[in-house]
């Protein structure tokens, strides 16, 4: 792969799947949850909308919107990858679209942002967030949001910094139904 002088942020291509899975596993290990990772190359390949493998097709496009396979209920996610000047994948931002009823506008929910430990303090996380913010603006969206673990103080400080400007939403509590609770809820009124 050709070397440049700056990192590149682009939408993931199918051939990036092993690197994406590696980053997911590193993130899970950092969060002390490696045994919880169920993702595989095959499941990622079937659930992420990828950019074309042809490197001459740049995504995002000139309008700031992604050039990828279409998103759908079975393929809801997109992924930005950041490659180093040497061409190695060093970080990712895996995301999907959400909607604000009060604003009646789309938005982006960042499922996972991760930069390899060895590549931190180089502005890579900031670059990934900037690209997501540009996409929200390009689609005339209303917000970019994500969750962060309460104990992850370095990330919280980074997100709340003047550069990023995120605000903690202390009035909201995340809720989730998964595992055995999901089919139980689905059959609740049967």
């Amino acid at each position: 792969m050709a070397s440049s002088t700056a990192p590149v942020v682009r939408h993931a291509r199918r051939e990036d799947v092993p690197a994406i899975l590696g980053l997911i596993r590193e993130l899970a290990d950092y969060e002390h949850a490696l045994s919880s990772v169920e993702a595989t190359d095959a499941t990622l390949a079937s659930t992420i909308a990828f950019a074309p493998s042809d490197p001459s097709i740049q995504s995002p496009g000139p309008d700031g919107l992604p050039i990828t396979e279409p998103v759908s209920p079975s393929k809801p996610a997109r992924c930005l990858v950041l490659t180093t000047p040497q061409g190695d994948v060093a970080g990712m931002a895996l995301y999907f679209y959400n909607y604000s009823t009060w604003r009646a506008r789309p938005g982006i929910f960042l499922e996972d942002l991760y930069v390899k430990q060895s590549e931190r303090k180089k502005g890579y996380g900031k670059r990934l967030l900037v690209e997501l913010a540009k996409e929200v603006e390009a689609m005339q969206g209303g917000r970019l949001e994500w969750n962060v673990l309460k104990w992850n103080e370095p990330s919280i400080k980074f997100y709340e910094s003047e550069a990023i400007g995120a605000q903690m939403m202390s009035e909201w509590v995340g809720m989730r139904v998964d595992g055995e609770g999901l089919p139980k809820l689905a059959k609740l009124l049967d």
Side-chain angles (χ1 to χ4, degrees), residues 99-133:
Y99 187 78
S100 169
T101 53
W102 291 5
R103 295 177 180 166
R105 292 169 68 187
I108 286 179
F109 187 88
L110 174 59
E111 179 66 20
D112 281 317
L113 175 71
Y114 187 73
V115 174
K116 288 183 175 187
Q117 295 274 359
S118 63
E119 300 296 333
R120 295 199 180 155
K121 304 293 184 196
K122 298 179 181 181
Y124 291 173
K126 189 181 301 181
R127 285 192 65 134
L128 287 161
L129 286 171
V130 164
E131 291 304 318
L132 287 173

Side-chain angles (χ1 to χ4, degrees), residues 125-190:
K126 189 181 301 181
R127 285 192 65 134
L128 287 161
L129 286 171
V130 164
E131 291 304 318
L132 287 173
K134 286 180 181 179
E135 185 175 332
V136 172
E137 286 196 326
M139 66 187 204
Q140 299 179 352
R143 64 181 172 214
L144 169 61
E145 60 187 330
W146 61 92
N147 295 321
V148 60
L149 290 168
K150 291 178 182 179
W151 60 259
N152 193 344
E153 285 296 321
S155 292
I156 292 169
K157 286 179 183 174
F158 168 65
Y159 297 143
E160 290 182 326
S161 71
E162 190 174 321
I164 304 302
Q167 298 172 355
M168 191 177 298
M169 298 180 54
S170 59
E171 69 277 8
W172 291 88
V173 175
M175 304 295 291
R176 175 181 299 160
V177 177
D178 65 1
E180 293 179 16
L182 194 56
K184 180 181 174 185
L185 178 59
K187 294 175 183 158
L188 184 64
L189 300 177
D190 290 351

Side-chain angles (χ1 to χ4, degrees), residues 22-24 26 50 56 59 84 86-87 108 114 127 155 161 163 172:
L23 292 170
I24 289 169
E26 285 182 35
F50 293 102
S56 69
S59 181
T84 64
Q86 296 74 35
I108 286 179
Y114 187 73
R127 285 192 65 134
S155 292
S161 71
W172 291 88

